Amino acid sequence: MQWQSPGQVWAFRVERNGDRWATLDKDREVESALYLREWRAQLTYRAHQGKQSWPTIILGIGASLATRVQYKDLNTGTEDLSLGDALLASLRLDW
């Protein structure tokens, strides 16, 4: 979900992120998968509209919530770990 103010000066975004990576244990010749899932909320502010050779400057603050990693291990079974929550800050330069 995303909202932008008129003129796109302010923006607010809430999203569910996640991905899957294949893993390989060469010693045991076993393939498995690693899953990452999180909720992310972020508020951004366009501090400067770029002109000519100057970049657009966008400042942001947000949070990563309910971040989890899941991995299947042959010895211990499925590991489902909570990585907790984190505050985020960003500085983005767009040319």
Side-chain angles (χ1 to χ4, degrees), residues 20-39:
R20 176 185 183 267
W21 292 273
T23 61
L24 176 63
D25 185 334
K26 289 183 180 182
D27 294 336
R28 293 187 276 184
E29 298 180 2
V30 175
E31 287 187 37
S32 188
L34 176 75
Y35 297 90
L36 172 69
R37 295 179 184 92
E38 74 171 336
W39 282 97

Side-chain angles (χ1 to χ4, degrees), residues 1 14-18 37-41 63-68 84-86 88:
M1 177 177 75
V14 176
E15 61 188 335
R16 172 97 168 155
N17 289 330
R37 295 179 184 92
E38 74 171 336
W39 282 97
R40 184 174 286 201
S64 172
L65 306 167
T67 304
R68 301 194 72 78
D85 303 332
L88 310 169

Side-chain angles (χ1 to χ4, degrees), residues 1-71:
M1 177 177 75
Q2 181 171 321
W3 169 85
Q4 289 185 332
S5 68
Q8 299 181 352
V9 175
W10 289 95
F12 179 71
R13 173 183 284 183
V14 176
E15 61 188 335
R16 172 97 168 155
N17 289 330
D19 213 339
R20 176 185 183 267
W21 292 273
T23 61
L24 176 63
D25 185 334
K26 289 183 180 182
D27 294 336
R28 293 187 276 184
E29 298 180 2
V30 175
E31 287 187 37
S32 188
L34 176 75
Y35 297 90
L36 172 69
R37 295 179 184 92
E38 74 171 336
W39 282 97
R40 184 174 286 201
Q42 186 173 25
L43 177 67
T44 58
Y45 173 71
R46 184 182 310 265
H48 173 72
Q49 180 64 40
K51 295 179 183 173
Q52 296 174 346
S53 63
W54 290 95
T56 297
I57 299 172
I58 301 173
L59 305 172
I61 188 165
S64 172
L65 306 167
T67 304
R68 301 194 72 78
V69 173
Q70 186 180 62
Y71 176 74

